[in-house]
Amino acid sequence: MIRRVVWIGGCTRRYTTTTTATTGSAAKKETPLTPTQFESIQEMLRVDQAGELAADAIYRGQLFALKETSPMKPLIQHMWDQEKHHRVILDTLCANNRVRPSVLSPVWYGMGFALGAGTALLGEKAAMMCTEVVEEVIGVHYNDQIRELVKIPDNESAQTLAQVIKVLRDEELEHRTHALQHDAKQAPLYDPLSFIIRTGCQGAIWVASRF
Ligand SMILES: [Fe+2]
Ligand SMILES: [Fe+2]
């Protein structure tokens, strides 16, 4: 479970940072981030918030489109519940740190829902293929961020954020494992569809970090 709330800078842009434990212990001063590090972390939070919003929409779309009797529904509901929790974490981090959401948030939500519903309409294996590919891309993306954050070892907020992202990363990779265990690779048109979804996700990450 996430035990700490990261507070990074805020709107004053003075680049002073504090980390506050949810247990209520006193906030503690730490080595300031450089302006570049501050901007980089804001960008990370923006793209991650957009990604978790889209993930929420994907699983909502899958549940919407799958037949009521589908045996995949409990698993997808479980993964959706975890994505909703991820979204709350990112929304809180962004609000605490005055990070503006991606201006394309409604687009990410709509595209996520369409992707989830569209693949689920092709069948359960296609829904699992969607999950496998999306979660793999997100796992790589989170690993890239963790590598960047561990380069700032003397800043407790950066390190706490790295720990938060590790928890999210582990759950995304669990989702990928679930998908592989439920025949994702046997989906119809696996190669072209997975290529399109992977490329689309990578492009969306690039756009959401900037806009
Ligand atoms: Fe997630
Ligand atoms: Fe996920």
Side-chain angles (χ1 to χ4, degrees), residues 53-173:
L53 174 85
D56 177 356
I58 287 171
Y59 289 104
R60 181 189 290 271
Q62 289 187 344
L63 280 180
F64 174 78
L66 280 177
K67 289 186 191 130
E68 218 34 66
T69 53
S70 168
M72 288 295 103
K73 281 206 152 182
L75 173 61
I76 294 173
Q77 180 69 56
H78 165 70
M79 296 192 288
W80 186 24
D81 290 343
Q82 289 186 315
E83 297 299 352
K84 286 188 275 193
H85 183 218
H86 296 177
R87 196 176 157 191
V88 169
I89 291 168
L90 263 302
D91 286 350
T92 304
L93 285 170
C94 287
N96 284 354
N97 294 288
R98 310 286 203 275
V99 175
R100 69 156 177 82
S102 167
V103 295
L104 297 171
S105 292
V107 175
W108 305 133
Y109 195 87
M111 287 175 66
F113 187 89
L115 177 61
T119 50
L121 284 172
L122 292 175
E124 286 150 353
K125 290 175 183 171
M128 290 295 129
M129 176 269 296
C130 169
T131 295
E132 181 225 330
V133 174
V134 170
E135 301 291 12
E136 182 184 298
V137 172
I138 298 302
V140 169
H141 166 72
Y142 278 153
N143 276 333
D144 290 343
Q145 291 190 341
I146 292 163
R147 271 194 291 276
E148 284 304 306
L149 290 166
V150 297
K151 290 179 191 165
I152 320 173
D154 52 353
N155 185 276
E156 194 175 341
S157 286
Q159 293 316 301
T160 304
L161 182 57
Q163 294 306 314
V164 172
I165 294 176
K166 279 181 189 172
V167 173
L168 302 182
R169 186 269 323 266
D170 289 348
E171 289 188 356
E172 312 301 8
L173 294 179

Side-chain angles (χ1 to χ4, degrees), residues 8-17 29 31-35 38:
I8 303 163
C11 62
T12 62
R13 296 213 160 205
R14 288 163 55 206
Y15 311 110
T16 46
T17 62
K29 290 280 180 192
T31 309
L33 296 169
T34 67
F38 179 81

Side-chain angles (χ1 to χ4, degrees), residues 125 128-129 132 136 176 179-180 182-188 190 198:
K125 290 175 183 171
M128 290 295 129
M129 176 269 296
E132 181 225 330
E136 182 184 298
R176 177 175 179 270
L180 287 168
H182 290 86
D183 301 330
K185 297 279 189 197
Q186 272 90 60
Y190 179 89
R198 181 174 292 107

